[in-house]
Every structure is written in structure tokens, then in C-alpha cells.
């Protein structure tokens, strides 16, 4: 692991780091905020997964999480959204696929299967690195994210309920198998057999028996992607049928941007902190 930068913030340290990823076969950059409480002992970990076109930097620059993370004693980890590098296959004219659009899946279709293994990177590889290099309490982990990252957070939590104490999302892609802006990506990453997509679809995972104690979702009512891309009502229906408590807040007048995310970031941090025991 190499340190790209560190800055003191609210008594803690905001760092940016890079390490070679075996899962993605490239160098991967990620950000970690370590609160001041870490000088006295290991702190719980909150993972934030970003959305389409984003890197680690979007939430780091615009998410406004550090003041409260310092108050609550939370380590906040912000990974990149896809593999990077000249050798990584891409569609440079398609913002919904390729670099910046890994969808947190392990691709099975060549040529993407060589690099686009974001599920393994987030679920297995980066946690091992984090545990080795930072003052983290890996028995207290939570996960949240935005849009494509909200999809990633919920699906990863559903498949790893013993690892995470809590899960929330801002405007998640709730049913990517049927969403107009994610179906093409799933087909290219995972192949034409739509049954294989179910492992990376929150609604399908719930239908197939995966469970999580509770979910918390904020969604803007003026989000331009609401009906076709995000489909929160379908997540609500899946949770109701499965008996999973879902706190779904429709936030009047809010869109899809970081103006929306930063407005409700405090609510999510406090919600996770309570469930992490902080």
C-alpha cells in the first residue's frame, strides 16, 4: 500500500491510498478517514460505495461526512467504483459501463472478467488490507452507498449479513435486472442468462431468500432516474413480502446529486453509529 496524500481534518486524518489489487489486476485507489478516537483503540468501519462515473473522490470532496465521523468515532472507507488502467477494457463513450461503472459484480464474460471483479475486491480483498493497515474493529462494520453504490451496498449486505451490523443507501438501483440503465451492463459483465444476474440484484436476492435485519433508504422525489433506473417501490414490495423492515424516506424536492446526499448524510451516519455501538 502506498500513501497518496494525508490531511488532518476534525482532529482525524483523511488519507488517500493506492494498492495493487489481485482481484481487479490493477492498481486501485481508495480513501480512508480515521477519526481522532483511533489513537486510543480500534474504531468501527463504515464503507461507502459510490455511483456511476464516480471515483473515491466524489464523496470525499462533497459528502460532508468528516465532522460527524470524528464526533462518532467512525472510520469511513471510500473505494473506487471500477478497475482502472490502460489495459482495462472500457467503453469510453458509455458512462453506464466500463470504467467508473463496475456495478460491484464479479464479471464472468471476457474480456471484462479479467478485471471487473469489484464484488471480490470490496467483499474480500480490501477488507483484508484495511485490517492489516488501519486501526479498525472488523467486528463492527456497516455499509452504505449512492445509486450504483447503493445497489452494491444492499447486495453485498444481503450476501454477507454476518459481517455488517447495518446497511443504508441513497437512491439505490433497487432492481438492476429490469432497470433500463443497468440491464445492458449486467448482460455484458455476466452474460445473457438473466438467472445469473439475480446474485447482484437486491430485489431478486430477497426473493431468493437472502435476508438482512433492516434497511434504510433515502430517495429524492425529483430524481430524474426515479422511475426507470431506481425503482424504490419494487424494493419496498420485496422487503414487505420477505418481512424485512425497510425505512424508505421519499425526500420531497430532492434530486440525485451530492446536494441530496450531503443533506441527509448526518442521518445515515448517526443511524449506523447506533447500530455499531458508538
Amino acid at each position: 500500500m502506498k500513501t497518496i496524500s494525508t490531511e488532518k481534518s476534525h482532529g482525524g486524518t483523511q488519507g488517500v491510498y493506492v494498492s495493487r489489487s489481485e482481484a481487479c489486476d490493477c492498481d486501485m485507489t481508495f480513501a480512508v478517514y480515521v477519526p481522532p478516537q483511533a489513537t486510543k483503540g480500534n474504531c468501527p468501519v463504515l464503507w461507502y460505495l459510490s455511483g456511476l462515473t464516480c471515483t473515491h473522490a466524489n464523496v470525499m470532496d462533497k459528502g460532508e461526512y468528516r465532522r460527524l465521523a470524528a464526533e462518532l468515532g467512525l472510520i469511513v472507507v471510500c473505494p473506487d467504483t471500477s478497475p482502472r488502467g490502460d489495459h482495462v477494457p472500457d467503453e469510453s463513450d458509455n458512462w453506464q459501463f466500463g470504467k467508473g461503472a463496475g456495478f460491484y459484480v464479479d464479471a464472468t464474460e471476457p474480456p471484462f472478467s479479467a478485471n471487473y471483479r469489484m464484488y471480490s475486491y470490496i467483499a474480500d480483498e480490501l477488507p483484508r488490507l484495511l485490517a492489516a493497515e488501519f486501526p479498525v474493529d472488523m467486528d463492527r462494520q456497516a455499509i452504505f452507498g449512492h445509486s450504483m453504490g447503493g445497489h452494491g451496498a444492499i447486495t453485498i449486505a444481503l450476501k454477507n449479513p454476518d459481517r455488517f451490523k447495518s446497511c443504508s443507501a441513497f437512491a439505490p438501483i433497487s432492481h438492476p435486472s429490469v432497470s433500463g440503465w443497468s440491464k445492458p451492463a449486467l448482460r455484458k459483465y455476466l452474460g445473457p442468462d438473466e438467472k445469473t444476474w439475480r446474485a447482484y440484484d437486491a430485489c431478486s436476492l430477497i426473493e431468493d431468500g437472502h435476508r438482512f435485519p433492516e434497511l434504510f433508504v433515502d430517495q429524492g422525489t425529483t430524481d430524474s432516474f426515479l422511475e426507470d433506473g431506481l425503482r424504490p417501490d419494487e424494493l419496498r414490495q420485496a422487503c414487505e413480502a420477505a418481512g424485512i423492515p425497510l425505512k424508505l424516506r421519499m425526500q420531497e424536492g430532492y434530486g440525485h446529486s451530492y446536494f441530496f446526499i450531503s443533506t441527509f448524510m448526518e442521518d445515515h451516519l448517526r443511524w449506523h453509529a447506533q447500530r455499531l455501538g458508538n
Side-chain angles (χ1 to χ4, degrees):
M1 187 184 78
K2 297 180 181 178
T3 300
I4 302 301
S5 65
T6 57
E7 295 287 348
K8 189 168 184 177
S9 179
H10 297 282
T13 301
Q14 176 65 70
V16 178
Y17 309 90
V18 64
S19 66
R20 183 72 183 179
S21 168
E22 293 182 3
C24 298
D25 191 26
C26 65
D27 287 344
M28 293 292 287
T29 303
F30 59 98
V32 180
Y33 178 72
V34 178
Q37 292 88 335
T39 60
K40 299 179 181 179
N42 291 351
C43 293
V45 184
L46 179 56
W47 297 81
Y48 179 91
L49 306 185
S50 288
L52 287 163
T53 75
C54 292
T55 70
H56 68 283
N58 294 74
V59 68
M60 186 179 74
D61 294 343
K62 298 182 287 187
E64 301 181 19
Y65 58 81
R66 277 174 292 271
R67 178 192 60 79
L68 194 59
E71 175 187 321
L72 298 172
L74 299 175
I75 289 177
V76 181
V77 183
C78 308
D80 202 350
T81 57
S82 77
R84 305 281 176 176
D86 293 340
H87 70 292
V88 174
D90 187 26
E91 291 183 4
S92 59
D93 59 346
N94 183 359
W95 64 275
Q96 296 173 331
F97 185 76
K99 294 177 185 176
F103 277 92
Y104 303 100
V105 306
D106 278 354
T108 57
E109 296 296 296
F112 309 107
S113 55
N115 303 102
Y116 287 84
R117 299 182 54 79
M118 289 299 296
Y119 176 82
S120 290
Y121 175 68
I122 298 296
D124 299 319
E125 185 176 9
L126 191 54
R128 291 197 302 269
L129 178 63
L130 195 73
E133 299 287 347
F134 294 91
V136 292
D137 181 352
M138 299 300 280
D139 291 329
R140 291 191 291 164
Q141 297 185 63
I143 191 167
F144 69 150
H146 170 232
S147 193
M148 179 185 73
H151 138 78
I154 295 173
T155 56
I156 291 172
L158 284 167
K159 290 193 282 188
N160 299 273
D162 294 334
R163 172 181 162 190
F164 297 103
K165 302 293 187 183
S166 54
C167 175
S168 73
F170 301 99
I173 304 174
S174 297
H175 204 175
S177 294
V178 300
S179 170
W181 68 349
S182 48
K183 282 182 67 176
L186 294 184
R187 184 173 292 111
K188 292 173 187 176
Y189 286 137
L190 302 173
D193 184 359
E194 296 187 12
K195 292 192 294 294
T196 66
W197 305 0
R198 299 182 69 85
Y200 300 103
D201 183 305
C203 290
S204 298
L205 284 167
I206 292 170
E207 290 172 2
D208 291 344
H210 290 265
R211 296 292 181 264
F212 201 77
E214 58 181 333
L215 298 171
F216 173 26
V217 171
D218 270 323
Q219 171 64 63
T221 61
T222 61
D223 191 319
S224 59
F225 306 112
L226 179 61
E227 297 301 327
D228 179 49
L230 305 175
R231 300 172 178 256
D233 283 340
E234 293 173 30
L235 179 63
R236 187 206 304 269
Q237 292 166 12
C239 287
E240 287 178 352
I244 298 174
L246 169 65
K247 182 178 182 180
L248 174 59
R249 305 193 306 186
M250 301 301 296
Q251 301 292 0
E252 187 66 35
Y254 285 90
H256 197 71
S257 75
Y258 270 90
F259 295 109
F260 159 62
I261 296 167
S262 62
T263 299
F264 300 105
M265 179 64 76
E266 178 170 346
D267 291 352
H268 285 249
L269 291 181
R270 291 193 183 280
W271 191 82
H272 286 292
Q274 289 175 355
R275 285 148 184 83
L276 289 166
N278 269 37

